[in-house]
Structures are given as C-alpha cells and as structure tokens.
C-alpha cells in the first residue's frame, strides 16, 4: 500500500484559505520561478521547488478531497490535478451527468475514502488535501506523513490546515526542509 500524505500550501499561522475560501498569495510561488514543474500544469517555480514538487506529483496515484473543495473547483472539470484518480468524501453522490468518464469516486466517510484510494493507487502515494477531511483522517490514525508548503503570509483566520482535529498528534522531526522562493517545503512523518 502507498503512503497517505496530507499536503497543502499553508500560511504561517496555519490556514489553507481565508474565511471565504480564497487562497490569496498561498499559491503565488507556483508562478514565481523559471523552472516548469511539468508540461501540463503551466506552473514555473524555483529549481529546488520544481525538483521537490515534480517528484512528489509523479509519485501520486490518488487524491482524496472533501466535497467543499470538489464544489469550489468543480472537480477540475473531471481532470485530476495530481494522480489518476480522485476520491471525494461526501454525503452526496456525484452530480448527475457530471463527467461520467472521469475517475472520480464519491464515498461517505474518511475510512472508506482511504480504502478506496488505496485500492485505486496500489503502491503509489495517496495525496490527502489538508482541511477538515484530512483532520478526520489524521484523527483516525490513517495519515503517514504531513507535507506543508509554508508561505510567508499571516491570514489571521480562515480554513485551518488540520481542520478541527481532536487531540494531540505527534510528528517526527522534519525529514524534508527545502527553501524555495516564497515557500518553505516541510515534511514530517506521523509518529506511530
């Protein structure tokens, strides 16, 4: 089974979006360099960020997101932003007639979402978008690693990286510390 990695860009005070779901400058670093991440995304970042992100994206087999992000992004019009499959945690089914060819799977509950993602991804990585759903997956003990793209901005309030996670969860010392331009990439294994 592939690792489950919670990942997102985050403000230094722990937010992945503001109160209105705006990301403000959190993704500016995707366009501040001269090294393309890949041919399809159109993103150009610093060389060190490109090396890190390219390797990460290439390892992903499935992406797990919540319904809120799916609705905000209209599911990227049926094209997974990373990996080949998207698993959406939702109490509502896939919208009627929405891209029937897309490898998007709607499941009720975080445990079922991780199980479905593991089935689809095989030995590849499962990327878990940070936020409420990810906090539930962490609380369920199903996250192997936390990866953050820390951006030098303070939001003050908004959507928290870990959502409303209950209890304390210990992480190992960082095994990834990469300084890009306008971003600091961090990776922590979850203590077991």
């Amino acid at each position: 089974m592939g690792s489950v990695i919670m990942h997102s860009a985050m403000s230094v005070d722990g937010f992945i979006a503001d109160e209105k779901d705006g990301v403000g400058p959190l993704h500016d670093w995707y366009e501040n360099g001269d090294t393309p991440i890949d041919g399809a995304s159109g993103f150009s970042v610093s060389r060190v960020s490109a090396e890190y992100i390219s390797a990460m994206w290439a390892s992903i087999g499935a992406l797990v997101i919540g319904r809120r992000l799916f609705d905000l992004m209209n599911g990227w019009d049926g094209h997974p932003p990373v990996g080949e499959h998207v698993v959406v945690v939702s109490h509502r089914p896939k919208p009627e007639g929405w891209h029937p060819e897309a490898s998007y799977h709607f499941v009720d509950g975080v445990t079922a979402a991780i199980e479905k993602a593991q089935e689809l991804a095989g030995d590849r990585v499962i990327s878990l978008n940070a936020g409420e759903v990810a906090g539930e997956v962490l609380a369920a003990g199903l996250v192997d690693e936390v990866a953050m793209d820390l951006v030098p901005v303070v939001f003050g309030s908004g959507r928290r990286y870990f959502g409303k996670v209950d209890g304390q969860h210990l992480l190992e010392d960082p095994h990834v510390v990469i300084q890009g331009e306008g971003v600091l990439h961090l990776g922590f294994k979850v203590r077991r």
Side-chain angles (χ1 to χ4, degrees):
M1 295 276 169
S3 296
V4 177
I5 301 176
M6 181 189 303
H7 183 231
S8 190
M10 173 179 93
S11 67
V12 294
D13 57 343
F15 296 99
I16 58 173
D18 64 22
E19 298 282 350
K20 296 179 181 173
D21 294 316
V23 295
L26 289 181
H27 295 166
D28 287 356
W29 64 274
Y30 278 113
E31 299 173 354
N32 72 356
D34 56 7
T35 307
I37 294 176
D38 62 23
S41 71
F43 297 130
S44 288
V45 297
S46 68
R47 182 189 52 76
V48 295
S49 288
E51 290 171 3
Y52 171 70
I53 294 296
S54 294
M56 177 183 277
W57 285 3
S59 71
I60 295 170
L63 171 64
V64 176
I65 64 173
R67 184 60 182 251
R68 172 186 219 97
L69 183 57
F70 173 84
D71 289 343
L72 284 169
M73 301 306 297
N74 188 29
W76 298 276
D77 293 321
H79 303 284
V82 294
E84 290 85 37
H85 312 280
V86 176
V87 178
V88 182
V89 179
S90 178
H91 301 298
R92 295 177 283 142
K94 183 192 299 192
E96 183 97 16
W98 184 87
H99 299 282
E101 76 290 351
S103 184
Y104 279 60
H105 308 269
F106 288 67
V107 298
D108 189 3
V110 297
T111 302
I114 297 302
E115 288 171 357
K116 184 65 176 178
Q118 287 173 329
E119 172 191 322
L120 295 166
D123 291 336
R124 297 184 70 201
V125 167
I126 296 161
S127 181
L128 173 64
N129 194 77
E132 292 297 327
V133 166
E136 292 176 30
V137 176
L138 180 67
L142 301 173
V143 174
D144 298 306
E145 185 175 336
V146 173
M148 301 171 172
D149 299 321
L150 190 63
V151 178
V153 61
V154 174
F155 273 21
S157 65
R159 309 276 177 218
R160 298 203 64 75
Y161 183 93
F162 291 102
K164 297 176 189 149
V165 68
D166 290 330
Q168 186 178 78
H169 300 273
L170 298 175
L171 307 176
E172 299 292 338
D173 286 340
H175 66 94
V176 173
V177 179
I178 300 171
Q179 184 175 343
E181 292 178 29
V183 64
L184 178 63
H185 307 288
L186 300 170
F188 306 86
K189 301 282 187 193
V190 176
R191 281 195 202 173
R192 301 275 184 221

